[in-house]
Amino acid sequence: MNLKCKIENFYNYVVDMSKYHTQNIIEETSKFDGQKSYVLMFHQVEPKLSEKDNEYTITILGFMDLIETLISLEFQFCDVNYFVAEANGKKILLTFDDAYSGVYTTVFSFLKGKSIPFVVFQTCDLLDRDGFLSTIMIKKMLQYDKFTLGAHTMSHCNLHKSLSIENEIIAPIDFFYNKFGKRPEIFAYPYGAFVTIDTKAIKCVKKNYKYAFSTCRTYYRSILGEKKYLIPRININEDNYKLFLKSLIK
């Protein structure tokens, strides 16, 4: 990767603003009583942390602790359609971005064993690359009826700056159909913040997908009329998952 690409990648992750989510969680959850629904966003789930870990990694023990605690708090794990359609209840939707091979090697059997639905937003150019999900892995997960495959663009670009926005958003539909015999109905914007999403991107997504996910806010309340093409998610990592759980218990 050349210097220009490194700088671009660094810029995109900075504007993602996920490092502010922990503060937002506390502020937002303290404003409302009663039912709350959350979309949780994960990236890497690893057996242990390494020197390269950042705000996008959680250990499998941390992940299992999070899930078990949510179960004890009587949250319901939902698929996408039920999560968006049903306004009432304490609901959780699990999503994984990019997607790293740990989703299959570390997480899949655990979630399947508990009959928990989950979503993978796959970036097409990352499929079959070292450290990421393979075609075979996704085909095996598709046999699980609670697994949903979503699109995450062709190259994980900043859509606001992309010169081929239609290709980035639309091309994954046929790409996945040719690979897996299924067309994705849901989409996640790379980086997910308002500064990387513009009106043109949202309009294109709206024409081609049923729902789309961002990181623009921290929790979802469809009863308030949240737009289904900017559904917010919380970035969860090893450092903030306990704080998230603490905010729910409070």
Side-chain angles (χ1 to χ4, degrees), residues 17-63:
M17 299 187 294
S18 61
K19 64 184 178 181
Y20 299 120
H21 285 342
T22 301
Q23 178 182 348
N24 289 340
I25 291 167
I26 299 173
E27 293 175 351
E28 295 294 343
T29 55
S30 65
K31 291 179 182 178
F32 296 94
D33 295 322
Q35 313 297 350
K36 303 181 182 70
S37 300
Y38 301 89
V39 186
L40 305 186
M41 176 180 67
F42 303 90
H43 289 76
Q44 291 176 296
V45 182
E46 302 292 343
K48 60 181 181 180
L49 299 180
S50 69
E51 295 179 358
K52 296 181 179 180
D53 291 321
N54 53 30
E55 61 180 321
Y56 298 95
T57 305
I58 187 171
T59 64
I60 183 59
L61 290 179
F63 181 81

Side-chain angles (χ1 to χ4, degrees), residues 1-216:
M1 182 182 296
N2 59 38
L3 180 59
K4 182 179 179 181
C5 290
K6 289 181 179 180
I7 294 174
E8 179 77 7
N9 194 53
F10 176 74
Y11 166 80
N12 289 333
Y13 275 103
V14 169
V15 298
D16 179 25
M17 299 187 294
S18 61
K19 64 184 178 181
Y20 299 120
H21 285 342
T22 301
Q23 178 182 348
N24 289 340
I25 291 167
I26 299 173
E27 293 175 351
E28 295 294 343
T29 55
S30 65
K31 291 179 182 178
F32 296 94
D33 295 322
Q35 313 297 350
K36 303 181 182 70
S37 300
Y38 301 89
V39 186
L40 305 186
M41 176 180 67
F42 303 90
H43 289 76
Q44 291 176 296
V45 182
E46 302 292 343
K48 60 181 181 180
L49 299 180
S50 69
E51 295 179 358
K52 296 181 179 180
D53 291 321
N54 53 30
E55 61 180 321
Y56 298 95
T57 305
I58 187 171
T59 64
I60 183 59
L61 290 179
F63 181 81
M64 293 169 66
D65 181 35
L66 171 69
I67 299 301
E68 296 287 1
T69 305
L70 289 170
I71 291 173
S72 71
L73 294 173
E74 299 183 334
F75 276 86
Q76 180 183 7
F77 293 91
C78 308
D79 62 23
V80 177
N81 289 319
Y82 182 81
F83 182 90
V84 175
E86 180 58 44
N88 298 318
K90 295 161 60 177
K91 305 192 301 297
I92 296 289
L93 174 62
L94 302 180
T95 68
F96 298 83
D97 280 16
D98 295 342
Y100 294 90
S101 58
V103 176
Y104 179 80
T105 60
T106 309
V107 174
F108 178 43
S109 61
F110 173 73
L111 294 178
K112 185 178 179 181
K114 293 185 175 295
S115 296
I116 293 177
F118 69 101
V119 176
V120 165
F121 288 109
Q122 175 70 50
T123 299
C124 297
D125 288 352
L126 297 179
L127 183 66
D128 293 318
R129 285 180 53 178
D130 185 40
F132 293 88
L133 289 176
S134 68
T135 300
I136 294 175
M137 290 175 179
I138 290 181
K139 285 183 177 180
K140 288 182 178 180
M141 288 192 292
L142 283 169
Q143 296 174 13
Y144 175 50
D145 61 358
K146 297 181 184 299
F147 170 72
T148 301
L149 181 64
H152 200 37
T153 70
M154 291 298 295
S155 67
H156 204 282
C157 66
N158 179 334
L159 288 172
H160 183 66
K161 301 178 71 176
S162 175
L163 299 178
S164 56
I165 186 172
E166 289 82 6
N167 179 68
E168 290 285 350
I169 293 172
I170 300 172
I173 297 174
D174 286 338
F175 178 91
F176 286 130
Y177 182 77
N178 292 333
K179 283 278 187 180
F180 309 113
K182 283 189 143 186
R183 290 184 170 89
E185 295 185 333
I186 59 176
F187 182 88
Y189 304 96
Y191 310 108
F194 280 125
V195 289
T196 59
I197 307 171
D198 56 22
T199 303
K200 184 179 179 181
I202 295 172
K203 286 182 177 180
C204 186
V205 168
K206 189 174 182 180
K207 290 179 181 179
N208 293 281
Y209 295 91
K210 192 173 182 179
Y211 307 116
F213 294 77
S214 69
T215 59
C216 297

